[in-house]
Amino acid sequence: MNSLVTNLVRRVAAACVVLALAAGAGFAADAPVDRTKPPTLGPLKPLKVPVVQTQTLPNGLQLAVVEMHEVPVVDCMLMVRAGAAYDPPGSPGLASFVAGMLDEGAGKRTAMEISEEADYLGAQFGTGAGMDHAQISLHVAKARLTAALDLMADVALRPAFPDSEITRQRELRKNNILQLRDQPTAMAPLAFHAILFGAAHPYGHPQGGTEAATAALDRAQVTRFYETHYRPGNAKLLFVGDITLAGARALAEARFGAWAKGPVPARPAGATPAATARTFYLVDKPGAPQSVILIGNLG
């Protein structure tokens, strides 16, 4: 407790010194400001883009590395072109469901054991999917990177897709869809994409699926989607942090080098909607506690 008090006193004292210096330098808290004139912008600072080193493994997996050695941590992400835009016709939400199922049992580990292993390693670990990509993400101390990548490779290459977890996750998603109906902040983006792109476009359907599509989900659909899209030639493995390109390649080859090649599916075709005049759309939700306004256009 004494050390906490001492630290607090030091912070307050430091703040007082800063205030005293500011006052001595001639800063006035009540100095008049001419708000009729915009402030003069200074010169733009030069943009320093980190160097991205890239290589491709023999099986087609693309490797990218950004070295940052200031802190002994590494972020790793496996990105697969298997986002919601690749949902089969009539099965909205399948891509995100498959991505969410990757860590619900893989290799010899159950879903609980995967979670416990990540906690033991002190790693932040997760799976998910956006509109274009599915991803498995990892943030871990460099000292635990090897073991954490073993876990990541299991999830990426050897998902079990147990029937019990598919049933459980399907029910959770159905309940979530029902709950979203009462949340304007959740429904507004769904309506916005449907209006902007149209139902025939890969971006026009809800990433989280619909009640009917969710109710029809089964293991056959899940495994078929995974086997079609989760291929090394359809993926990128990114490392950012305290690691070199040679080190990252050795780790990647040891865990992902045997990932079997396969045909890479083409991106789903979708006609770009024609530009329209300014239009207003209203989605009426009587009794809603909030209102959401979205403004946008194709770009």
Side-chain angles (χ1 to χ4, degrees):
M1 181 62 73
N2 290 336
S3 62
L4 292 175
V5 173
T6 301
N7 290 334
L8 179 59
V9 171
R10 287 176 178 171
R11 291 180 183 179
V12 173
C16 292
V17 171
V18 172
L19 290 174
L21 290 174
F27 290 96
D30 56 352
V33 177
D34 185 357
R35 300 187 183 280
T36 64
K37 298 179 181 179
T40 302
L41 298 178
L44 294 176
K45 294 183 178 180
L47 176 62
K48 296 181 179 179
V49 180
V51 177
V52 182
Q53 304 174 77
T54 60
Q55 289 186 359
T56 301
L57 272 58
N59 62 359
L61 177 63
Q62 297 180 48
L63 178 67
V65 177
V66 177
E67 296 188 31
M68 299 177 67
H69 300 286
E70 293 80 6
V71 181
V73 296
V74 178
D75 277 78
C76 182
M77 179 176 289
L78 178 68
M79 301 177 64
V80 184
R81 283 184 287 271
Y86 295 86
D87 281 336
S91 299
L94 179 57
S96 61
F97 189 83
V98 172
M101 282 295 304
L102 292 174
D103 60 352
E104 298 295 334
K108 297 181 179 180
R109 298 181 176 93
T110 65
M112 183 63 70
E113 288 170 338
I114 290 173
S115 178
E116 290 174 347
E117 179 73 6
D119 289 343
Y120 173 76
L121 296 172
Q124 297 175 19
F125 184 75
T127 66
M131 191 60 77
D132 292 298
H133 291 87
Q135 63 273 337
I136 303 172
S137 59
L138 171 67
H139 173 85
V140 70
K142 182 180 180 180
R144 301 291 183 90
L145 178 60
T146 299
L149 282 174
D150 289 340
L151 177 65
M152 185 179 193
D154 251 0
V155 168
L157 307 183
R158 292 171 285 276
F161 301 132
D163 286 316
S164 59
E165 287 296 336
I166 288 178
T167 299
R168 187 174 71 88
Q169 293 297 327
R170 183 175 60 213
E171 293 306 310
L172 287 174
R173 173 169 285 198
K174 287 166 62 177
N175 292 334
N176 186 54
I177 292 174
L178 291 175
Q179 293 173 3
L180 290 180
R181 288 181 175 179
D182 295 324
Q183 300 180 23
T185 53
M187 297 306 297
L190 300 182
F192 181 76
H193 280 83
I195 292 170
L196 190 62
F197 294 103
H201 193 276
Y203 290 174
H205 65 272
Q207 296 183 41
T210 61
E211 288 181 73
T214 300
L217 284 170
D218 58 23
R219 191 175 189 278
Q221 290 187 61
V222 171
T223 55
R224 183 165 55 249
F225 185 90
Y226 173 83
E227 292 170 355
T228 299
H229 295 278
Y230 284 72
R231 300 288 190 178
N234 204 34
K236 295 181 180 180
L237 184 61
L238 289 74
F239 288 88
V240 179
D242 191 13
I243 192 169
T244 64
L245 176 61
R249 173 153 189 153
L251 291 170
E253 286 184 330
R255 288 154 185 83
F256 297 94
W259 192 0
K261 289 183 178 181
V264 176
R267 180 178 177 81
T272 302
T276 60
R278 181 184 301 168
T279 309
F280 295 90
Y281 297 89
L282 173 65
V283 179
D284 189 17
K285 179 68 175 176
Q290 296 175 305
S291 294
V292 179
I293 299 174
L294 295 180
I295 302 174
N297 202 353
L298 293 170

